[in-house]
Amino acid sequence: ETLVLISSHGAQLTNLIWLSEHAAVVEVLLRFGWCCDPVPSKQYASRDPDRPGCDCRAYHKADYANLAQTYGIRYFYVDAEYIDPPYGWNPIFRNRVYIDAEEVAKLAALWVYGFRN
């Protein structure tokens, strides 16, 4: 039985529908470099006033947070440390996503040994 599903944003996260009600999902968000580096301070602003010339769109990828809520699965997210530039027209088309593995492992351990109990 899977207790924690960890994945970067993508269609593979739809597998969370098969998790038990005691499981959790950790999504690695692709916000790094969504429009400017680093991630804008005001995530939902159309422009970041702290960085003139940085024309940002809101990061609107809540698909799996909503799906997890629908199925009663606990949802967590982490931001990537670094993401390769997009290779196509869609900003989520990335070859490599780098994470802080220790941070993700601690989050998973908290769920398995802490929050859940």
Side-chain angles (χ1 to χ4, degrees):
E1 177 181 352
T2 301
L3 292 178
V4 181
L5 173 63
I6 301 169
S7 176
S8 63
H9 178 85
Q12 66 281 0
L13 278 170
T14 58
N15 287 305
L16 71 84
I17 67 171
W18 307 112
L19 295 173
S20 74
E21 63 187 29
H22 303 292
V25 62
V26 178
E27 179 180 11
V28 179
L29 296 181
L30 304 178
R31 294 190 306 178
F32 180 92
W34 185 253
C35 56
C36 298
D37 294 332
V39 176
S41 58
K42 295 174 180 65
Q43 178 181 342
Y44 297 105
S46 61
R47 292 188 184 277
D48 189 340
D50 299 328
R51 277 175 261 133
C54 177
D55 188 14
C56 301
R57 293 179 294 158
Y59 185 85
H60 59 279
K61 301 294 181 184
D63 311 321
Y64 303 109
N66 293 338
L67 188 60
Q69 182 178 5
T70 299
Y71 281 87
I73 305 297
R74 184 67 186 240
Y75 174 85
F76 301 96
Y77 71 87
V78 295
D79 283 308
E81 293 289 311
Y82 176 79
I83 303 173
D84 282 351
Y87 61 81
W89 62 269
N90 191 322
I92 67 168
F93 292 168
R94 309 296 178 119
N95 284 322
R96 288 182 289 275
V97 176
Y98 300 88
I99 62 169
D100 181 338
E102 188 174 329
E103 175 189 10
V104 174
K106 285 179 183 177
L107 185 58
L110 274 173
W111 177 252
V112 173
Y113 301 112
F115 296 142
R116 189 169 72 102
N117 297 324

